[in-house]
């Protein structure tokens, strides 16, 4: 897994990586330049790697979680949630590992309900905990 990431920055707390190849978030290919994976220096890479691999796989297929989350929050719901999900264009993603059991992501994307805005969601592990509408 480590060979699939390029280290590009480091500070006193984190080592920051970018994937070597595009990754898929929801159904959308995200270019390496639009993805940052920050891993605490206190963590052992060999322990983080399988968790990160599983997390990236989950972010690829979490359509039901995303749809359920937005269905519960939008007053004007789309008639076809499948089409809405397909309209998502992921702009960038930041994944952060503070500890083996303390990780999450921030994903910024556009879609067809608010076409002039960006939606930003925060996840703690496998749960969406908040969203912001920017624009």
């Amino acid at each position: 897994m480590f060979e699939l990431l390029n280290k590009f920055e480091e500070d006193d707390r984190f080592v920051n990586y970018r994937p070597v190849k595009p990754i898929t978030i929801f159904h959308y290919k995200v270019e390496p330049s639009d993805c940052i994976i920050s891993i605490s220096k206190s963590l052992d890479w060999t322990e983080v790697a399988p968790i990160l691999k599983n997390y990236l796989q989950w972010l690829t297929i979490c359509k039901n979680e995303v749809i359920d989350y937005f269905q519960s929050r939008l007053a004007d719901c789309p008639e076809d949630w499948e089409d809405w999900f397909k309209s998502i264009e992921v702009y960038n993603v930041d994944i952060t590992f503070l500890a083996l059991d303390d990780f999450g992501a921030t994903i910024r994307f556009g879609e067809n309900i608010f076409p002039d805005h960006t939606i930003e969601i925060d996840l703690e592990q496998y749960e969406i905990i908040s969203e912001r509408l920017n624009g």
Side-chain angles (χ1 to χ4, degrees), residues 4-5 19-25 27-32 34-37 56 59-60 93 95:
L4 300 177
L5 299 176
V20 173
K21 298 188 265 182
I23 61 170
T24 303
I25 302 294
H27 68 285
Y28 195 84
K29 293 270 186 215
V30 179
E31 292 301 318
D34 297 323
C35 180
I36 298 173
I37 300 170
L56 289 172
L59 288 170
T60 300
V93 60
I95 298 171

mmCIF file of all heavy atoms in Angstrom, residues 4-5 19-25 27-32 34-37 56 59-60 93 95:
data_model
loop_
_atom_site.group_PDB
_atom_site.id
_atom_site.type_symbol
_atom_site.label_atom_id
_atom_site.label_comp_id
_atom_site.label_asym_id
_atom_site.label_seq_id
_atom_site.Cartn_x
_atom_site.Cartn_y
_atom_site.Cartn_z
ATOM 1 N N LEU A 4 1.794 2.949 -3.125
ATOM 2 C CA LEU A 4 0.725 3.606 -3.861
ATOM 3 C C LEU A 4 0.559 5.069 -3.463
ATOM 4 O O LEU A 4 -0.320 5.756 -3.965
ATOM 5 C CB LEU A 4 -0.591 2.866 -3.654
ATOM 6 C CG LEU A 4 -0.592 1.406 -4.111
ATOM 7 C CD1 LEU A 4 -1.918 0.747 -3.798
ATOM 8 C CD2 LEU A 4 -0.283 1.314 -5.597
ATOM 9 N N LEU A 5 1.414 5.527 -2.531
ATOM 10 C CA LEU A 5 1.346 6.911 -2.061
ATOM 11 C C LEU A 5 2.693 7.600 -2.248
ATOM 12 O O LEU A 5 3.737 6.965 -2.114
ATOM 13 C CB LEU A 5 0.973 6.957 -0.577
ATOM 14 C CG LEU A 5 -0.370 6.358 -0.175
ATOM 15 C CD1 LEU A 5 -0.530 6.402 1.335
ATOM 16 C CD2 LEU A 5 -1.522 7.072 -0.856
ATOM 17 N N PRO A 19 -2.022 10.034 -3.425
ATOM 18 C CA PRO A 19 -2.000 8.743 -4.113
ATOM 19 C C PRO A 19 -1.205 8.860 -5.418
ATOM 20 O O PRO A 19 -1.127 9.926 -6.021
ATOM 21 C CB PRO A 19 -3.474 8.441 -4.382
ATOM 22 C CG PRO A 19 -4.200 9.708 -4.170
ATOM 23 C CD PRO A 19 -3.352 10.611 -3.354
ATOM 24 N N VAL A 20 -0.624 7.767 -5.833
ATOM 25 C CA VAL A 20 0.137 7.732 -7.080
ATOM 26 C C VAL A 20 -0.813 7.797 -8.283
ATOM 27 O O VAL A 20 -0.518 8.431 -9.283
ATOM 28 C CB VAL A 20 1.002 6.454 -7.141
ATOM 29 C CG1 VAL A 20 1.673 6.295 -8.487
ATOM 30 C CG2 VAL A 20 2.028 6.468 -6.022
ATOM 31 N N LYS A 21 -1.972 7.133 -8.158
ATOM 32 C CA LYS A 21 -2.965 7.084 -9.229
ATOM 33 C C LYS A 21 -4.269 7.691 -8.726
ATOM 34 O O LYS A 21 -4.470 7.818 -7.519
ATOM 35 C CB LYS A 21 -3.226 5.636 -9.649
ATOM 36 C CG LYS A 21 -2.017 4.928 -10.218
ATOM 37 C CD LYS A 21 -2.410 3.582 -10.782
ATOM 38 C CE LYS A 21 -2.187 2.516 -9.732
ATOM 39 N NZ LYS A 21 -2.479 1.167 -10.180
ATOM 40 N N PRO A 22 -5.172 8.043 -9.647
ATOM 41 C CA PRO A 22 -6.482 8.525 -9.202
ATOM 42 C C PRO A 22 -7.159 7.500 -8.288
ATOM 43 O O PRO A 22 -6.965 6.293 -8.438
ATOM 44 C CB PRO A 22 -7.268 8.690 -10.509
ATOM 45 C CG PRO A 22 -6.231 8.871 -11.559
ATOM 46 C CD PRO A 22 -5.057 8.022 -11.107
ATOM 47 N N ILE A 23 -7.934 8.018 -7.345
ATOM 48 C CA ILE A 23 -8.735 7.153 -6.480
ATOM 49 C C ILE A 23 -10.203 7.445 -6.760
ATOM 50 O O ILE A 23 -10.537 8.491 -7.314
ATOM 51 C CB ILE A 23 -8.421 7.362 -4.984
ATOM 52 C CG1 ILE A 23 -8.731 8.792 -4.543
ATOM 53 C CG2 ILE A 23 -6.976 6.999 -4.669
ATOM 54 C CD1 ILE A 23 -8.672 9.010 -3.050
ATOM 55 N N THR A 24 -11.059 6.527 -6.392
ATOM 56 C CA THR A 24 -12.487 6.710 -6.601
ATOM 57 C C THR A 24 -13.144 7.045 -5.271
ATOM 58 O O THR A 24 -13.011 6.306 -4.301
ATOM 59 C CB THR A 24 -13.117 5.448 -7.212
ATOM 60 O OG1 THR A 24 -12.454 5.148 -8.434
ATOM 61 C CG2 THR A 24 -14.596 5.654 -7.482
ATOM 62 N N ILE A 25 -13.832 8.182 -5.249
ATOM 63 C CA ILE A 25 -14.630 8.587 -4.098
ATOM 64 C C ILE A 25 -16.062 8.660 -4.605
ATOM 65 O O ILE A 25 -16.339 9.354 -5.591
ATOM 66 C CB ILE A 25 -14.180 9.948 -3.533
ATOM 67 C CG1 ILE A 25 -12.705 9.916 -3.130
ATOM 68 C CG2 ILE A 25 -15.078 10.376 -2.378
ATOM 69 C CD1 ILE A 25 -12.374 8.998 -1.969
ATOM 70 N N HIS A 27 -18.533 7.571 -6.843
ATOM 71 C CA HIS A 27 -18.330 6.928 -8.147
ATOM 72 C C HIS A 27 -17.340 7.717 -9.001
ATOM 73 O O HIS A 27 -17.140 7.396 -10.160
ATOM 74 C CB HIS A 27 -19.666 6.840 -8.893
ATOM 75 C CG HIS A 27 -20.160 8.196 -9.303
ATOM 76 N ND1 HIS A 27 -20.702 9.062 -8.387
ATOM 77 C CD2 HIS A 27 -20.109 8.857 -10.471
ATOM 78 C CE1 HIS A 27 -20.987 10.191 -9.000
ATOM 79 N NE2 HIS A 27 -20.643 10.101 -10.260
ATOM 80 N N TYR A 28 -16.743 8.743 -8.436
ATOM 81 C CA TYR A 28 -15.994 9.734 -9.202
ATOM 82 C C TYR A 28 -14.484 9.549 -9.033
ATOM 83 O O TYR A 28 -13.999 9.411 -7.912
ATOM 84 C CB TYR A 28 -16.407 11.140 -8.731
ATOM 85 C CG TYR A 28 -15.987 12.232 -9.653
ATOM 86 C CD1 TYR A 28 -16.757 12.567 -10.758
ATOM 87 C CD2 TYR A 28 -14.806 12.930 -9.439
ATOM 88 C CE1 TYR A 28 -16.370 13.573 -11.617
ATOM 89 C CE2 TYR A 28 -14.415 13.937 -10.300
ATOM 90 C CZ TYR A 28 -15.209 14.251 -11.384
ATOM 91 O OH TYR A 28 -14.820 15.243 -12.235
ATOM 92 N N LYS A 29 -13.766 9.587 -10.134
ATOM 93 C CA LYS A 29 -12.295 9.499 -10.090
ATOM 94 C C LYS A 29 -11.730 10.831 -9.626
ATOM 95 O O LYS A 29 -12.006 11.871 -10.218
ATOM 96 C CB LYS A 29 -11.721 9.170 -11.467
ATOM 97 C CG LYS A 29 -12.063 7.800 -11.949
ATOM 98 C CD LYS A 29 -11.025 6.816 -11.519
ATOM 99 C CE LYS A 29 -11.327 5.474 -12.157
ATOM 100 N NZ LYS A 29 -10.999 4.379 -11.345
ATOM 101 N N VAL A 30 -10.918 10.792 -8.577
ATOM 102 C CA VAL A 30 -10.271 11.980 -8.029
ATOM 103 C C VAL A 30 -8.788 11.906 -8.356
ATOM 104 O O VAL A 30 -8.128 10.905 -8.056
ATOM 105 C CB VAL A 30 -10.489 12.066 -6.497
ATOM 106 C CG1 VAL A 30 -9.790 13.294 -5.921
ATOM 107 C CG2 VAL A 30 -11.974 12.076 -6.165
ATOM 108 N N GLU A 31 -8.281 12.951 -8.967
ATOM 109 C CA GLU A 31 -6.871 12.998 -9.348
ATOM 110 C C GLU A 31 -5.988 13.098 -8.097
ATOM 111 O O GLU A 31 -6.396 13.685 -7.089
ATOM 112 C CB GLU A 31 -6.605 14.181 -10.276
ATOM 113 C CG GLU A 31 -7.259 14.054 -11.635
ATOM 114 C CD GLU A 31 -6.802 12.826 -12.397
ATOM 115 O OE1 GLU A 31 -5.585 12.513 -12.378
ATOM 116 O OE2 GLU A 31 -7.662 12.177 -13.017
ATOM 117 N N PRO A 32 -4.778 12.562 -8.171
ATOM 118 C CA PRO A 32 -3.867 12.621 -7.016
ATOM 119 C C PRO A 32 -3.655 14.035 -6.474
ATOM 120 O O PRO A 32 -3.567 14.229 -5.268
ATOM 121 C CB PRO A 32 -2.564 12.029 -7.563
ATOM 122 C CG PRO A 32 -3.006 11.097 -8.637
ATOM 123 C CD PRO A 32 -4.206 11.778 -9.272
ATOM 124 N N ASP A 34 -5.717 16.270 -6.109
ATOM 125 C CA ASP A 34 -6.898 16.702 -5.374
ATOM 126 C C ASP A 34 -7.165 15.855 -4.130
ATOM 127 O O ASP A 34 -8.270 15.882 -3.584
ATOM 128 C CB ASP A 34 -8.120 16.669 -6.294
ATOM 129 C CG ASP A 34 -7.983 17.640 -7.442
ATOM 130 O OD1 ASP A 34 -7.436 18.736 -7.236
ATOM 131 O OD2 ASP A 34 -8.409 17.296 -8.564
ATOM 132 N N CYS A 35 -6.162 15.099 -3.704
ATOM 133 C CA CYS A 35 -6.311 14.221 -2.547
ATOM 134 C C CYS A 35 -5.101 14.354 -1.628
ATOM 135 O O CYS A 35 -3.961 14.281 -2.085
ATOM 136 C CB CYS A 35 -6.452 12.775 -3.010
ATOM 137 S SG CYS A 35 -6.633 11.604 -1.653
ATOM 138 N N ILE A 36 -5.378 14.563 -0.358
ATOM 139 C CA ILE A 36 -4.319 14.594 0.651
ATOM 140 C C ILE A 36 -4.656 13.555 1.713
ATOM 141 O O ILE A 36 -5.771 13.529 2.238
ATOM 142 C CB ILE A 36 -4.183 15.979 1.311
ATOM 143 C CG1 ILE A 36 -3.807 17.033 0.269
ATOM 144 C CG2 ILE A 36 -3.158 15.938 2.443
ATOM 145 C CD1 ILE A 36 -3.815 18.453 0.805
ATOM 146 N N ILE A 37 -3.708 12.709 2.017
ATOM 147 C CA ILE A 37 -3.851 11.723 3.085
ATOM 148 C C ILE A 37 -2.812 12.068 4.138
ATOM 149 O O ILE A 37 -1.606 11.979 3.889
ATOM 150 C CB ILE A 37 -3.648 10.290 2.554
ATOM 151 C CG1 ILE A 37 -4.697 9.994 1.466
ATOM 152 C CG2 ILE A 37 -3.721 9.271 3.695
ATOM 153 C CD1 ILE A 37 -4.458 8.719 0.698
ATOM 154 N N LEU A 56 -10.587 3.498 1.887
ATOM 155 C CA LEU A 56 -10.682 3.928 0.490
ATOM 156 C C LEU A 56 -11.675 3.062 -0.280
ATOM 157 O O LEU A 56 -12.432 3.562 -1.113
ATOM 158 C CB LEU A 56 -9.301 3.905 -0.169
ATOM 159 C CG LEU A 56 -8.331 4.992 0.290
ATOM 160 C CD1 LEU A 56 -6.939 4.756 -0.280
ATOM 161 C CD2 LEU A 56 -8.837 6.386 -0.062
ATOM 162 N N LEU A 59 -15.149 4.275 0.770
ATOM 163 C CA LEU A 59 -15.492 5.563 0.163
ATOM 164 C C LEU A 59 -15.893 5.412 -1.304
ATOM 165 O O LEU A 59 -16.592 6.251 -1.856
ATOM 166 C CB LEU A 59 -14.330 6.549 0.296
ATOM 167 C CG LEU A 59 -14.085 7.087 1.705
ATOM 168 C CD1 LEU A 59 -12.773 7.856 1.756
ATOM 169 C CD2 LEU A 59 -15.248 7.945 2.180
ATOM 170 N N THR A 60 -15.476 4.335 -1.925
ATOM 171 C CA THR A 60 -15.859 4.056 -3.308
ATOM 172 C C THR A 60 -17.309 3.597 -3.394
ATOM 173 O O THR A 60 -18.012 3.928 -4.347
ATOM 174 C CB THR A 60 -14.947 2.950 -3.891
ATOM 175 O OG1 THR A 60 -13.611 3.404 -3.854
ATOM 176 C CG2 THR A 60 -15.319 2.584 -5.302
ATOM 177 N N VAL A 93 -10.534 15.700 -1.692
ATOM 178 C CA VAL A 93 -10.749 14.913 -0.480
ATOM 179 C C VAL A 93 -9.505 14.999 0.393
ATOM 180 O O VAL A 93 -8.384 14.968 -0.112
ATOM 181 C CB VAL A 93 -11.100 13.445 -0.819
ATOM 182 C CG1 VAL A 93 -10.003 12.766 -1.600
ATOM 183 C CG2 VAL A 93 -11.418 12.644 0.429
ATOM 184 N N ILE A 95 -8.077 13.056 3.816
ATOM 185 C CA ILE A 95 -8.251 11.943 4.748
ATOM 186 C C ILE A 95 -7.194 12.106 5.823
ATOM 187 O O ILE A 95 -6.019 12.324 5.513
ATOM 188 C CB ILE A 95 -8.090 10.589 4.033
ATOM 189 C CG1 ILE A 95 -9.169 10.444 2.945
ATOM 190 C CG2 ILE A 95 -8.137 9.429 5.024
ATOM 191 C CD1 ILE A 95 -8.979 9.257 2.031
#
